[in-house]
Amino acid sequence: MQIILKLTTACNLKCVYCSEGDQPAETLPEEIFFKLVDELPPLLNHIGTKDAEFLFHGGEPMLYGRDNLKRLIDYAKKNLRGFKVRFLMQTNGTLINDAWIEFFKAEEISVGVSLDGYPALHDKNRRTKSDEPTAEKILENLKLMREKNLNVGTLMVFNSPEDVDAEKLFAFIKEHELRPKIHSVVPCGRAVDVKNSAEIYDAWAQVMKKLFELSFAGDKVEIIQPLDETIDAILGAAPVYECSYNGTCGKNFICLYPDGEVGFCGRDNFSRHLTYGNLREKTLLELYESDNAKKIRARQKYLETHDCKNCSDWKLCHGGCAFEAVNFFGTLEAKYPNCAARKKLIAWLGTEGLKILKAALVREKIKRRNSIKIKKQLRGEIENLGGGNA
């Protein structure tokens, strides 16, 4: 189970699409986190898992401070013995320095950095409160993390229906050794008034197709999510783990907000569509079994017999993101708002995408055969030289 922790709503940036919207800064009290940890074992046993994954989120979670964060981590490790505990952080990447990198390594925190592509794209969306660009600073910090042998992933939000230079974006991904996950913007928080989200999603899908082609064109395959997981799922190699595809919303994820409210999604801190109740007043297990939590989990059964009935892509999509459905339509009993465009992308991956993959595998096979031939030839020449010297 992943527990999303909204450590603070405070942030040093003012991103144009932030799901937090504009609200007063709040910080998660330690005692609320401690209560969650104390009550987590009964919940994990209830759903039948030994995995507890804490995702430090915000606002900007690094504003919470290393000492404060260290106390949370130590408490979780001490009180969750017998469970597999992992820690992750999603950060805007502007505050990273040597001390933070050593902290991440010492505490084994997996880090994701928000980076919206090459600077001209990124700096349109992600600027400081004084309207300064941030791409250059983030790239410097990513380089520093690589130099310190800290693996880091990146998250890109696609926020424009205008033409994005896919080849430039791909070259940027390769140059900076990124492992990006790229999503289309969700109209919530500061982006609640985005009227062209469907157009943006269509543009995102076209760019993703081009990135997929480019990722298999060279000698090294570049991993770009959620495309890589989707093609694996089409081949039956593995499921799509991305939460907006795998149909486990309300089951394998919970979110703790700074005021003690518990909900199903980190994006929902601003609008609070379907919270479960407050951890100050109820146990974690009671909140997990609340009426709203059950409604979210029931969405799968409803869609499978209604909007998504007989859909050939059900096992790849599971009706899409529950938050986006309720955010867009005002009800959970609705499939993903961008269903038609997603189906087209899945269809393309299952046809043209598989052709691209097959061609890349054939090239790799030929390359390996040629390499073996060269090695055999060299071995023979070396043996002949040896015989002549004898």
Side-chain angles (χ1 to χ4, degrees), residues 21 28 45 51 64 88 131 140 186 197 205 207 218 228 235-237 252 279 335 341 374:
L28 179 69
N45 291 330
D51 295 329
Y64 193 75
L88 302 86
D131 202 36
E140 289 175 0
V186 178
S197 60
V207 169
D228 188 63
L235 292 169
N252 293 340
L279 192 58
K335 60 186 177 182
I374 292 171

Side-chain angles (χ1 to χ4, degrees), residues 181 240-249 253 267 317 320-322:
K181 181 184 289 185
V240 183
Y241 295 102
E242 167 63 36
C243 66
S244 70
Y245 286 76
N246 63 24
T248 61
C249 192
F253 299 87
R267 290 171 172 168
C317 174
C321 175

Side-chain angles (χ1 to χ4, degrees), residues 94 115-123 126-127 132-142 172:
T94 60
L115 179 65
D116 285 359
Y118 49 84
L121 289 178
H122 175 95
D123 288 332
R126 305 184 64 84
R127 304 179 76 87
E132 296 297 320
T134 59
E136 183 178 347
K137 179 62 177 176
I138 294 168
L139 288 172
E140 289 175 0
N141 289 341
L142 286 172
F172 177 80

Side-chain angles (χ1 to χ4, degrees), residues 6-27 57-65 90-95 114 122 125-132 134 138 190 258 269:
K6 289 287 185 176
L7 296 180
T8 178
T9 56
C11 190
N12 58 322
L13 303 189
K14 192 175 178 66
C15 303
V16 298
Y17 53 70
C18 179
S19 63
E20 293 296 312
D22 296 297
Q23 54 184 311
E26 287 186 277
T27 299
H57 213 282
E60 172 47 51
M62 289 176 66
L63 291 175
Y64 193 75
Q90 184 63 38
T91 170
N92 63 39
T94 60
L95 303 176
S114 296
H122 175 95
N125 299 322
R126 305 184 64 84
R127 304 179 76 87
T128 67
K129 290 183 177 180
S130 57
D131 202 36
E132 296 297 320
T134 59
I138 294 168
R190 289 199 191 110
N269 192 26

Side-chain angles (χ1 to χ4, degrees), residues 105-320:
K105 292 171 71 174
E107 300 301 331
E108 298 182 299
I109 300 173
S110 298
V111 181
V113 170
S114 296
L115 179 65
D116 285 359
Y118 49 84
L121 289 178
H122 175 95
D123 288 332
K124 286 182 180 179
N125 299 322
R126 305 184 64 84
R127 304 179 76 87
T128 67
K129 290 183 177 180
S130 57
D131 202 36
E132 296 297 320
T134 59
E136 183 178 347
K137 179 62 177 176
I138 294 168
L139 288 172
E140 289 175 0
N141 289 341
L142 286 172
K143 181 180 179 182
L144 180 63
M145 286 188 278
R146 284 198 302 272
E147 290 173 350
K148 299 284 187 176
N149 297 314
L150 182 70
N151 291 325
V152 60
T154 54
L155 176 65
M156 173 183 174
V157 176
F158 191 98
N159 189 37
S160 174
E162 300 169 2
D163 289 341
V164 172
D165 190 332
E167 292 191 357
K168 183 176 180 179
L169 177 57
F170 183 76
F172 177 80
I173 290 169
K174 286 190 67 176
E175 177 187 356
H176 295 283
E177 302 176 34
L178 307 178
R179 295 182 291 118
K181 181 184 289 185
I182 307 175
H183 291 308
S184 183
V185 69
V186 178
C188 65
R190 289 199 191 110
V192 69
D193 293 326
V194 171
K195 305 298 183 185
N196 57 344
S197 60
E199 185 182 352
I200 293 172
Y201 190 94
D202 287 340
W204 168 84
Q206 295 306 312
V207 169
M208 295 301 277
K209 289 178 185 178
K210 184 63 178 178
L211 291 177
F212 187 88
E213 293 174 355
L214 293 169
S215 69
F216 285 96
D219 292 333
K220 178 186 175 184
V221 176
E222 303 295 330
I223 304 300
I224 298 172
Q225 300 295 12
L227 295 181
D228 188 63
E229 287 184 357
T230 306
I231 201 75
D232 282 350
I234 290 171
L235 292 169
V240 183
Y241 295 102
E242 167 63 36
C243 66
S244 70
Y245 286 76
N246 63 24
T248 61
C249 192
K251 180 181 179 182
N252 293 340
F253 299 87
I254 57 172
C255 182
L256 177 63
Y257 306 120
D259 59 1
E261 287 287 308
V262 173
F264 73 106
C265 182
R267 290 171 172 168
D268 198 33
N269 192 26
F270 179 70
S271 51
R272 301 288 180 91
H273 288 90
L274 289 165
T275 53
Y276 302 164
N278 200 292
L279 192 58
R280 299 177 190 273
E281 301 165 0
K282 296 183 179 181
T283 69
L284 189 60
L285 186 54
E286 285 173 335
L287 295 173
Y288 184 81
E289 291 298 333
S290 67
D291 289 342
N292 277 347
K294 289 177 180 178
K295 286 179 184 177
I296 293 165
R297 293 195 287 273
R299 179 174 181 262
Q300 291 296 299
K301 290 183 179 180
Y302 178 87
L303 290 179
E304 199 167 11
T305 56
H306 289 79
D307 287 19
C308 302
K309 186 177 181 179
N310 300 323
C311 177
S312 59
D313 296 325
W314 171 256
K315 291 184 178 179
L316 298 174
C317 174
H318 297 95

